[in-house]
Each structure stands twice: as structure tokens, then as C-alpha cells.
Amino acid sequence: MNPVDLYRGEIFYLTDSPLDKETFYTYIADGALVVSEGHILESGPYSGMWQKYPQAFLHDYSGMIIMPGMIDAHIHFPQLNIVGMYGKKLLDWLNNYTFPSEKDFNDSAYSDYMAEQFVNTLFRNGTTACVAYATVHPHTAESLFRVASRYNMAMLAGKVLMDTNAPDYLLDTNVCKSKDGIEESRRLICKWHKRGRNRYAITPRFAVTSTPHQLAEAGKLHQEFPDTFIQTHLSENRSEIDTVRSLFPKSKDYLDIYERSGLVSERTIFGHCVYLSDDERKRIAEAKAIVAHCPVSNSFLGSGLMNLEQMNRANIQTVFATDVAGGNTFSMLKVMGEAYKVQLLQNYSLSVGETLYRATLGTALSLGLEKEMGSFVPGSFADFIVIAPEAVPELALRGAYLSEKEEWNIENKLFGLMASGDDRCIQATYIAGNKVYTNNSCLNR
Ligand SMILES: [Zn+2]
């Protein structure tokens, strides 16, 4: 028999969408997750699992929550060193901070080093899979795929496509050896797409920085490789939308530009979507495209308030993301807390269940990767995290207060983590059954 690991703790995972079903999660107060060969065998009450697998190696995380790792659906790998820069809205932010910092990734050794830092920062924050933008330099996507492969991590990523309205030093025509970003993307797809847990995402940054020709070629590339993903930005900020309108005067709206280019599909992830019209929402829902809501970024760059209730009403698949470094944190817990605030400002009380759904199972389902990640279904990869709900001192005080009132239940624990938790609460992160991060303040189990 293969070696079996048994992780004891409070087991929590989503089983359905809280918008569709009354029973949408599994919670076992004294539970166990059983893992073998990097995959989940099953989960259940600790006593039963221990009886069934008496030879298993026991990891005792009693008093902590064991849940699926979080999925960050929109993040910029090369921006990890410009987290928290002062005072700029989107277009100035790009010109003042993003583009100059991405220039440094021309150096492939630097890119490899930063890719390692990037995934380790994700692990420290409890993120076990992501959909990431590299830079225009093709080797930056390779840095990400290489480091993800080493950890057997699910990495969806692509080299950014830009052939206009960006500094010369970041244009495909100047940066790519072939002078053609599409050709380089095709080469990367052939080399990396579906190699291990890697998937390629065709990545035109946004309509401003690609010519109509490049957008159309990106659409054709997706047709050539229909199981690749597409990621881009849509309707994030008012001056961006004005710029897009002046660059594409014949388009009826922003989404139309991507539609004409063949870039709107059920495998397209649109970042932001703060200012969509009803008609754009309707067309996104019809195409089954995915919207990545990045509330921390929308607040930090002063972009605006995305209305999740409108997305839900239109039946759009919305998932959550950091958008580092427009988002000034890698923590999906903080993203969840910000989503709660941003939605409440618009009179929508986002439930704990819906919030978690949009960072775990809901994201996996949207991406078609639910057999691999996002819950604890048997056979999926053992990508999970261990969370201490009282690791932050004020959360410990809150826990003691709620315990006295006999209200220290899983919902209150999870909401506390979103409202006031951060990477201090992440005690361990496992990818495909391997521990890739342990919090130093946690006993090594
Ligand atoms: Zn972004």
C-alpha cells in the first residue's frame, strides 16, 4: 500500500455554489483529510479515518482549519517589488511604476530569482494556484512555469502582448527576438501548455497597448489552441475607458473590441469590469466568460466600486483576485475582506460562503479545473492550507469573547479571518501533498 498521510483538524470546503444550493459546504469539527501520492483520498470524521488508515502518518492540526488552497485569478508576477507605491491612478501607475519595473525583467537571471520569490509569497499567503501575467519578455513566462513545475503547482500564465502605446523597451517588436509577440506566444504554448500542471494564457495586456492587428492575431492563436486561456483587462478605470474609446472610435463599446478579435470565450478571464454596461454584462454571460473582481486594487488605485450583485443578476461567473501590484497585498484573505466592504458600500451583504466560493471552488469551476483543485473531492490534487483562526492577537480576543457566548462557530471563525486576518494566520501550505510553507511561529507537525 502507498504511504498515507492523515491531517487532523477542522475540515472545511465548499461543495456547491451558495447562490444555488442551501447546503453548499462540508464542515467537520474534528475531521481528517487523507492524502496519498499527492492526491486526496477522502476526508471525514477523524475517528473513522484513523480507524480506516491505522498505518497513516498523522499530522495533528487540531484547533486549526484545514481548507482548500486559495486561487488568485488575476495577478502580475513582475510587480511584486512595487507593492504599495504612492498615489497614482491606473494610467499614471502604469507609466510611473509598472513599465519601469517590468524593464528589469529583460535580465533572465533576475526573472528567475523573482519568480521564486513570487511563488513563495503566494504560498505564505495561502494561495496555491494563480492566473498570472508575466512581462513582454518571453523568458519571464518560462521563469514562472519552471518554478511552478518544481513545486508541482497549478500555474496559468502567459507572456504579455504589447505592440503600441508603451515604452519602446517593452514593445514586442523590440523585445522579442522574432520581433513578433504572437510567434513567441505560440512557441511558449507548444513548450509549456499542459506540461505538468501548467496552462498557457494568451495575454494581451489590454486594448490600449495592442494594435487591432495584434488583438486579432491573439484571437487566431486561441482558435489554433482552443484549450488555452485568455486573460486581459476590461473597464477598470474611467480615463482608461476614454482612452480606449478614442483609440477605437468605431467600436460600440470596450467589450466589442475583444469580441471582434475573437478574444471573448468561456476561457477568457477579464480583470476588473468595474464600469460595464448592462449590454456588456449580458454578452459576457452569454459567452460564459469569467470576471476577476479585484477589490483591493480597485480601492488602492481609486478605480471604483465593482457591483457584484449586478454580475450575479446577469449570471456572470465572478472570481476574486489580488491584482498585485495594483492590489497592495498578496493576501486573498484581505481581498475577501475588501470585497465585503466594497459590496456593502453598494448595499450588498456578501455572505461568508459566497466569498469563499469565489476564491476556491467557484474559481476552479469557472476555469474548468474542479477535478484538480478548489475542494476536497477524492482524486483532486492535495492543494490545501492550514489556518489558525486566532493567530492575530485581536482575533484571539474576539475568539475568546465569542466562545463565551457559544458563538465561536465556523462561520464566525471564517469571517474573522477575512475581516482581520492576514498571512500570520496561514500556518502551512501544501501543494500536491508536499508542504511548501510553514509559519515559523507554528509548531512543526
Ligand atoms: Zn491587472
Side-chain angles (χ1 to χ4, degrees):
M1 195 178 158
N2 294 324
V4 173
D5 287 285
L6 194 148
Y7 300 88
R8 182 181 191 179
E10 296 181 40
I11 302 292
F12 178 87
Y13 62 96
L14 277 287
T15 51
D16 269 301
S17 165
L19 301 184
D20 301 335
K21 297 269 171 69
E22 243 169 67
T23 310
F24 55 87
Y25 68 88
T26 293
Y27 171 66
I28 308 164
D30 185 11
L33 180 69
V34 187
V35 173
S36 183
E37 307 267 284
H39 290 81
I40 289 165
L41 284 183
E42 59 181 314
S43 59
Y46 165 72
S47 56
M49 292 294 110
W50 186 234
Q51 262 175 6
K52 188 168 172 184
Y53 301 96
Q55 311 293 335
F57 187 79
L58 177 66
H59 308 257
D60 192 355
Y61 288 118
S62 296
M64 299 187 198
I65 299 165
I66 299 175
M67 62 169 263
M70 292 176 279
I71 307 165
D72 189 338
H74 179 123
I75 185 165
H76 296 264
F77 143 57
Q79 297 178 23
L80 78 159
N81 58 357
I82 54 163
V83 169
M85 296 299 214
Y86 175 76
K88 296 287 175 194
K89 286 198 170 193
L90 177 66
L91 299 178
D92 289 333
W93 165 269
L94 286 171
N95 289 321
N96 284 287
Y97 299 124
T98 307
F99 292 152
S101 82
E102 292 193 0
K103 183 183 180 188
D104 295 344
F105 285 76
N106 192 28
D107 177 345
S108 62
Y110 177 72
S111 169
D112 285 345
Y113 168 77
M114 292 299 265
E116 184 70 38
Q117 302 299 312
F118 175 74
V119 300
N120 280 289
T121 308
L122 292 175
F123 298 159
R124 179 162 52 77
N125 283 281
T127 300
T128 51
C130 70
V131 190
Y133 290 61
T135 70
V136 285
H137 313 93
H139 62 246
T140 56
E142 302 219 45
S143 302
L144 271 184
F145 288 134
R146 214 176 294 119
V147 69
S149 301
R150 198 146 39 74
Y151 291 105
N152 203 8
M153 173 198 187
M155 175 63 72
L156 286 68
K159 112 171 196 62
V160 162
L161 291 162
M162 289 202 288
D163 68 346
T164 189
N165 294 322
D168 284 349
Y169 58 77
L170 284 183
L171 293 178
D172 278 315
T173 33
N174 296 330
V175 167
C176 297
K177 265 192 209 146
S178 63
K179 303 199 181 305
D180 182 352
I182 299 292
E183 189 48 45
E184 295 295 333
S185 302
R186 182 179 288 108
R187 186 181 63 76
L188 290 166
I189 291 168
C190 294
K191 185 168 176 187
W192 292 102
H193 183 53
K194 292 176 29 184
R195 180 164 155 191
R197 300 182 72 190
N198 295 310
R199 271 93 172 179
Y200 198 81
I202 297 165
T203 310
R205 178 174 229 123
F206 66 148
V208 174
T209 49
S210 285
T211 56
H213 173 74
Q214 186 174 59
L215 291 173
E217 290 297 306
K220 282 185 203 154
L221 187 63
H222 179 64
Q223 257 179 7
E224 194 180 330
F225 300 97
D227 62 356
T228 54
F229 291 87
I230 297 166
Q231 59 179 345
T232 189
H233 296 80
L234 174 64
S235 225
E236 175 176 357
N237 156 299
R238 289 203 190 275
S239 350
E240 168 216 11
I241 295 167
D242 291 344
T243 306
V244 168
R245 202 171 286 140
S246 67
L247 289 170
F248 295 85
K250 287 186 185 148
S251 292
K252 70 170 176 176
D253 53 32
Y254 198 157
L255 182 65
D256 181 47
I257 299 163
Y258 296 136
E259 285 172 332
R260 284 173 192 227
S261 314
L263 290 167
V264 184
S265 78
E266 60 183 19
R267 301 178 80 79
T268 305
I269 304 129
F270 287 117
H272 303 293
C273 298
V274 178
Y275 297 103
L276 296 183
S277 65
D278 287 346
D279 195 51
E280 284 174 303
R281 266 191 292 273
K282 191 166 151 257
R283 280 143 56 206
I284 285 178
E286 278 165 7
K288 297 194 170 71
I290 305 161
V291 167
H293 176 35
C294 311
V296 174
S297 170
N298 296 159
S299 299
F300 190 70
L301 295 184
S303 300
L305 304 175
M306 196 279 256
N307 190 312
L308 185 58
E309 213 179 358
Q310 282 178 340
M311 296 288 176
N312 289 348
R313 232 180 279 133
N315 215 8
I316 288 175
Q317 317 180 66
T318 306
V319 297
F320 288 172
T322 59
D323 189 31
V324 161
N328 59 322
T329 179
F330 271 74
S331 171
M332 286 297 287
L333 290 175
K334 284 184 178 281
V335 166
M336 294 182 203
E338 192 76 10
Y340 172 79
K341 290 186 255 181
V342 163
Q343 297 315 320
L344 199 56
L345 276 167
Q346 302 170 94
N347 299 315
Y348 180 51
S349 296
L350 185 56
S351 71
V352 172
E354 183 179 350
T355 308
L356 280 163
Y357 179 74
R358 301 197 184 287
T360 56
L361 178 64
T363 312
L365 282 164
S366 302
L367 298 170
L369 299 175
E370 70 278 9
K371 287 189 182 138
E372 176 173 336
M373 62 173 91
S375 77
F376 286 158
V377 286
S380 62
F381 278 93
D383 295 348
F384 63 96
I385 54 178
V386 179
I387 307 189
E390 295 171 285
V392 176
E394 51 272 39
L395 282 177
L397 291 170
R398 176 180 176 276
Y401 173 72
L402 288 172
S403 292
E404 250 177 52
K405 290 159 62 92
E406 297 188 2
E407 288 174 12
W408 190 220
N409 53 35
I410 186 65
E411 194 163 328
N412 270 332
K413 287 178 187 178
L414 291 168
F415 185 69
L417 285 163
M418 294 170 197
S420 307
D422 53 35
D423 59 316
R424 286 171 291 176
C425 302
I426 309 296
Q427 299 301 302
T429 302
Y430 290 78
I431 301 267
N434 288 317
K435 184 153 60 177
V436 294
Y437 169 72
T438 310
N439 189 322
N440 286 334
S441 64
C442 175
L443 294 172
N444 203 1
R445 306 185 196 215

